[in-house]
Structures are given as structure tokens and as C-alpha cells.
Amino acid sequence: MLTAGLIAFACWPFITQLWIRAKSISLSWIFFSLLLAVFPLMPVVGRKPDIFLVIGAGSLVLLLSLCVLTSLIKRKDRFINEELLLHLFQMLSIALSMYVVYSTHHSLLKKQGLPFLNQIISWIILASSFVLPLLSPTSLFERLFSILLSWMSAYLLLSTGYEALFPLVLSCLMFVWIQMEQETLQQSGVSYRQKVTSLQFTCNLDITQFRHLYLDDIRRAFFLVFFLVTAFFGTGNIASVNSFDLASVYCFLTVFSPYMMGALMMWKILIPFVLVMCAFEAVQLTTQLSSKSLFLMVLIISDIMALHFFFLVKDYGSWLEIGTSISHYVIVMSMTIVLMLLNGLAHLLTTKKLELYGKSKSHLI
């Protein structure tokens, strides 16, 4: 069903004027939608580890980083040294993650255990992924790309196969979604329109710039809910305990520790969620809509889904059918709480700015 929905999303430009007005963006939307639609059809993650897919995903991220770095240097008249160093350090983190995954895999195959240096590097990369995005500029494109680089380095350490490509493809689709929504906004008759590269994440928004709700806003809220469900089930039925593979945390620890391993696995699950929510923050900014209005629409859709699954709960039949119906209801009911937490985390990641020198600058809600 997720694959069918993503294929339907790929047809969206053809039923609007976007195919005529923004052909290159529409082609990108179609390509990444169809590419993301492949992941729900893949086997469950963890059955057959393939480290070379993880290395390939890291190589693609490095190649994309070089292209973005080149375009930033050409676009900016004066590229700040701190920004360049931050970008290079994030690329170094990606390269180190690839090395740690490859080295740890071969060390475990030789029955030599987890190298202590690899373990230290893994925990440093995981800790730095929380801080490095806050050091990047608050411009929309640069902040989102910094979040992608930092969290992809941590996700690579927690990957064992094709799922390492999932956040990259999902993020590319999110970047195109932001561009598509801006084109749709102009088609709706909104006169005020800025380039994505000139937009800044900030908490001090002018209320007078907010507009009223349109019918397209319902579609935007539905897109968010669908992308969140795709982020949850895109690489397998992770709601099932059988889908968890302990090999995903071997770069951090090999001694059995249920709480630490569970926390690492939960963080791996949350990374695609946060990438989608950060993109949704950008969509709210580009479409000049109050985050409260659009987020309340998302909560309404979640409540409708919860009511739907409530009537599908079974108290008869096999234990598998009963457990599946209850788990679906609990997941959808939990989505409301998770959405609020993720919205706050995405708001922090996109608007907070730390300074290495001098006084730190932060935006208060």
C-alpha cells in the first residue's frame, strides 16, 4: 500500500499545472517518489547483512556533499571559514562512519571483537550529530543539508544493508517536496514568493505574513502523515520485535545490554521521522502558513486514523490477528504524542543557532 501511494504521488504533477510550469522539479519528484516506492517491497532489514550497500550509501552522501559544497562556494560571495570547516568536518564524519562499519564487520568476522578505537569513534560521531547542525547557518537549505549530513553519519553506523540508502532517498524527496510546495503556492495566487535559498529559519515570524487556509493545506497535512508512516514502515515491519537485529548496534557495543541497545535502535527509527518533520518545518515556512494551523490539521488526520483502527480491533480469532489489530491501534494512537515531540525537536534543530566564538545566539519560543 505504501508503494501504491508513492506511485500515486508520482502522478501528482500530471494532474496540476506543475508539469508545465516546473518540469525539472516535477521530473525530480517523479524520480524520487518511484525510487522510494521500491523500499517497502524489499525484504525485512537484518536477514542478510550487506556492508557494501552501507559503504555505497556513504559514498553517495559524500558525492552529494561535494556537489553542494561546490555550489555554495560559487553562490556565496564570501564563504565563511567556520561554515567551510563545519561542512568538511561533517564529510569527515561520513567517511569515518564508512570506515568504522567496514572495519568492525571484518573484525567480527575474524572473531576479534569490536575494536576499542571504532567504539570510541562511533560514540563521538553519535554525540556530535546532535551538536553540529546547530552550528550551521539558519538559511533553509544549508540547515536542512547540515541535519542530513550529521544524522546520516550516525545512521550509517546503525545500518547493516539497504536501509542505509533509505534516509538519503527520503531526504532528496523532502527537498523536492519543499520546491514543489513553493510552486504550488504561486499557482494558488499568493503574490509573495521568495527563493528557497533566501529563506531563513527563525522563530520571530511576522504574524501579518500568515495567510488563511486553502484546500491545498489539507493535502500538505496528508502528505506529512503519509511520509511519516513511510518512514516508519519503509524498511520493514519494525513494529515487530522479530525485525530488530542486534547486528545494527555492533559498532557501538557487542556486550548484551537491552536498555542501551533498545535506545540505539529507537534512535535509528527516529532519524527518518525527524528528517521528515524538519522538511515539514520548511514547508510551513515556504507556504507562509502558521505552524499551529497546519499541525492541528495533521493531528485531526491522526485522530481520524485512530478512530478507524479502533473499530478494527478484534477480540476473537488467532492471537496473531488480535495482537496485530491492537498494535495497529496503539501505533496510531501514539502517533499524536510522537508528532508533538518530533515537532518540538524539529523546531529546535531548525531554529537554534550556536556560536563557537563569542556569545551564543539562540531563539526562544
Side-chain angles (χ1 to χ4, degrees), residues 38-48 162 234-236:
V38 177
F39 286 93
L41 301 177
M42 300 291 286
V44 177
V45 173
R47 301 303 180 189
K48 294 181 179 180
Y162 73 88
T235 56

Side-chain angles (χ1 to χ4, degrees), residues 263-290:
L264 290 172
M265 292 301 299
M266 285 299 299
W267 184 242
K268 178 183 178 181
I269 295 171
L270 287 177
I271 286 178
F273 276 81
V274 179
L275 293 177
V276 174
M277 288 303 300
C278 290
F280 188 60
E281 286 283 327
V283 168
Q284 294 175 1
L285 180 62
T286 56
T287 55
Q288 306 159 17
L289 184 64
S290 171

Side-chain angles (χ1 to χ4, degrees), residues 24 108 124 239 301 310:
S24 60
L108 293 176
I124 291 176
I301 295 176
F310 174 75

Side-chain angles (χ1 to χ4, degrees), residues 123-187:
W123 284 108
I124 291 176
I125 291 176
L126 180 63
S128 63
S129 64
F130 294 92
V131 180
L132 291 181
L134 304 181
L135 300 174
S136 62
T138 55
S139 59
L140 187 145
F141 180 77
E142 294 182 44
R143 176 54 67 93
L144 290 180
F145 194 74
S146 178
I147 293 173
L148 172 62
L149 287 183
S150 296
W151 288 29
M152 269 300 297
S153 60
Y155 197 87
L156 289 175
L157 295 172
L158 295 167
S159 301
T160 59
Y162 73 88
E163 82 272 18
L165 296 166
F166 181 73
L168 178 60
V169 177
L170 181 65
S171 300
C172 291
L173 183 61
M174 293 299 99
F175 278 111
V176 180
W177 182 33
I178 297 170
Q179 297 276 358
M180 293 282 286
E181 292 296 352
Q182 196 181 35
E183 294 291 338
T184 307
L185 185 68
Q186 187 182 25
Q187 183 180 340

Side-chain angles (χ1 to χ4, degrees), residues 189-203:
V190 179
S191 58
Y192 178 76
R193 180 174 180 263
Q194 277 186 292
K195 293 183 179 180
V196 175
T197 54
S198 63
L199 291 173
Q200 297 281 335
F201 282 114
T202 177
C203 292

